[in-house]
Amino acid sequence: VRCSRLRYLQEFTLISESNNHKSIRTVLPPGPSQFFFYFFRLLSGFSPIRGLRAVIRETSGHQLLEIWNCHGLRKCLNLTALNKHGRVYDDAQFGCLSWSECENKLLYVAERTECLSAGLLFCFFGGTWVPMPNQDRSLYCEDWGEALTNRSEPAICVVDLEIGAASVLEGVPPDVSPGQALWAPGSQAVFFIGWYHEPFRLGLKFCSNRRSALFKIDLCGHCERLSGENLSVSNPRLSPDGSTLIYLQGAVFGPHNQCLSLQQVLYLDLESGETSTLLDVVSRPQFAGMYEALPSCCWSADSQRVMFSSACRNWKGLFLVDRRSKIVTSLSDNLSDSSSQLYGSWKLLTVQRDLMVVCCSSPNTPPTLRVGFVPRAGEAVSWQTLQEPLMTFDFSWKVLDVTPPSDEENANYPGLDFGAVLVKPSRPLGETRTPLVVFIHGLLLSSESYKYSKRYICFFFVNYRGSTGFGQHSILSLIGQIGSQDVKDVQRAVLTALERDPNLDPDRLAAIGGSHGGFLACHLLGQYPESYKVCAARNPVINAATLLGTSDIVDWRYTSAGFHYSYDQIPTAEALAAMLQKSPIAHAAKIKAPVLLMLGGRDRRVSPHQGMELYKALKSRGSPVRLLWFPEDGHSLSRVDTQVDCFLNTALWLHQHL
């Protein structure tokens, strides 16, 4: 009704055993949900000792920093009125809010300056003084691409709560954009991640392959780099005892969502740090590797163990790594590739005094909170569910493992398999067989097939080679093979599902996807025109050659087609021809199925003119096509009204043509 996302609070009380504070005896039921007062909250964080709560929120065009305690509002600073910096960053990429040890200072990231001044100059013209715009008013200002269009020159900012003053921490290298800052032990220095922005910025959201480094800067402005050169790093997390800093590390360029290593910097002696690898990149999985951000609190209380969530084949699991032995242990019970397990996704939210808080869900079970204490070596976690799911749906889901035939093997990475998850009604729909709606994930090259989604309940999710959770070799195998290997993998998975489940209807196949998933959906229609009856694509890549000059991730356009990328790259006839040959537009003349296109007018990653190109190609041939245009939305089509529109139109489109 409001076309907005609402936040609400639920409070749970956990009572531990009297003789064992790491064993939960009772979970008291929560009271009624409360509407979240800080609806316009940008950031918040608790102080470690006194339990103060810092909140940065926005009201009437002003950004306010509020400090709350048990008695109410203690202090309020108008950051906008202080005029020391621009807007505070609240995104997951740069944003942070960190308390100092003395709890008198706060650390955050904001735009260094607001937009260039619109002040006027005057010119004597025609016998009178005429106001002229500032010569820099129209100067182009780079940003960090899709969903980060207002992020250009971030700065580390410090607020002194005792005197109510804000300042920008100077000394950050001029070719670096800082973010993800946190206090070093003693609060006289700051750790931060710096992304190199010369010679120009590339899209950063969902890209773990941007050149960056871990830095340390003191309050006097002396800055030093702690990590190696020509690497991509992120997510610094300091141990509770202040002795060790961990962070994620990957390669520069190449796949955007790659397998990462976990590095540790020992700071027992703050004058010199010793860096070592705690978890390395995994090429072929037993443990499948690390692929996603660490929660802000992920350490055990003894500073010896780190907990994290990661994709593992067709699941998302919860893991523990011990710093001393470097052994990885699974803490979830869903990694047997058996659909008898209730939860397919275990996402770690936080660790507080060894209490792990996890969000669990599966394709037919909405998210629920579970808690358990970090176990001793050799022990299992005793998990407690805080509140049972409101409902479970009468759908079954099962995992399919798929092995490509010999003629579809990758010559450089042989022996790889992949997987899929089939979600369908538990009972037959009358006497008819069930249509198969193939959902294909996008450029993130990762699948969310293992978790609950309000939008996709009765679907077939394919984790083709190149998806996360299957090791780095699987991801690298897709380089130069887009439009071929990934298309064949999806089709092979579909044939496998039809072969193993006679209740699926091979005459009613649909393809749905967004971004690279839309690319694959449109490829399926062109390469297998007799198989698919309908398609719905969200911001699809249609012609990689024409996308080259409009995407915020131009490096991937070269890499995915099998070409080396450098910042000074000039397109060649060979590269453009290869990109065109690997694109769905090359098969557009063979498409027979009706196509629904959903495009975001502000998409910086995949220009909406990509979808428009297919729309015109199909319409000129009399093929049934419908286009939905969302002028205020971007690549993710995430506005509430957009999601409603896309969901309803997709459902009606499938119903009409299946």
Side-chain angles (χ1 to χ4, degrees), residues 230-399:
N230 202 33
L231 296 167
S232 174
V233 303
S234 62
N235 294 166
R237 304 290 185 258
L238 187 65
S239 62
D241 64 3
S243 68
T244 308
L245 187 74
I246 58 172
Y247 60 92
L248 298 177
Q249 178 176 290
V252 177
F253 296 146
H256 285 78
N257 206 12
Q258 55 187 309
C259 189
L260 304 170
S261 67
L262 182 62
Q263 303 292 316
Q264 58 180 347
V265 182
L266 304 180
Y267 257 85
L268 295 173
D269 179 3
L270 292 179
E271 297 301 319
S272 62
E274 178 187 346
T275 303
S276 63
T277 299
L278 184 54
L279 281 179
D280 211 341
V281 171
V282 176
S283 297
R284 304 267 175 142
Q286 290 180 338
F287 158 65
M290 300 188 70
Y291 301 93
E292 59 185 71
L294 297 167
S296 56
C297 298
C298 58
W299 282 94
S300 62
D302 62 5
S303 299
Q304 296 300 320
R305 292 162 291 176
V306 177
M307 279 61 66
F308 60 94
S309 296
S310 186
C312 187
R313 294 187 63 83
N314 300 293
W315 312 82
K316 176 179 285 188
L318 176 63
F319 300 93
L320 176 152
V321 58
D322 191 300
R323 285 187 51 235
R324 296 156 294 196
S325 65
K326 298 187 178 180
I327 294 176
V328 179
T329 304
S330 173
L331 301 181
S332 49
D333 55 6
N334 63 337
L335 301 181
S336 61
D337 265 8
S338 168
S339 56
S340 63
Q341 305 297 339
L342 178 59
Y343 301 113
S345 171
W346 292 62
K347 182 173 180 59
L348 180 65
L349 303 180
T350 189
V351 183
Q352 301 287 339
R353 301 176 189 173
D354 279 348
L355 182 71
M356 300 177 290
V357 184
V358 182
C359 176
C360 292
S361 71
S362 67
N364 61 352
T365 306
T368 186
L369 288 178
R370 307 190 83 196
V371 296
F373 285 100
V374 176
R376 297 187 184 92
E379 293 183 352
V381 182
S382 178
W383 290 105
Q384 292 268 1
T385 300
L386 295 187
Q387 190 175 41
E388 293 295 335
L390 182 63
M391 65 184 75
T392 56
F393 293 93
D394 193 19
F395 292 89
S396 63
W397 60 286
K398 62 181 178 181
V399 172

Side-chain angles (χ1 to χ4, degrees), residues 89-95 111 140-154 177 180 195 201-207 210 552-553 602-605 634-636:
Y89 286 16
D90 62 335
D91 57 86
Q93 191 68 50
F94 293 98
E111 188 71 15
Y140 175 67
C141 188
E142 289 182 19
D143 57 41
W144 286 100
E146 174 65 28
L148 295 171
T149 53
N150 296 320
R151 310 293 192 260
S152 180
E153 296 185 28
S177 291
Q180 300 183 13
W195 287 269
R201 293 163 176 79
L202 291 167
L204 196 54
K205 188 174 179 64
F206 300 134
C207 298
R210 297 290 174 240
D552 69 333
I553 52 171
R602 296 188 175 183
D603 190 346
R604 300 280 303 280
R605 188 135 299 178
H635 189 60
S636 61

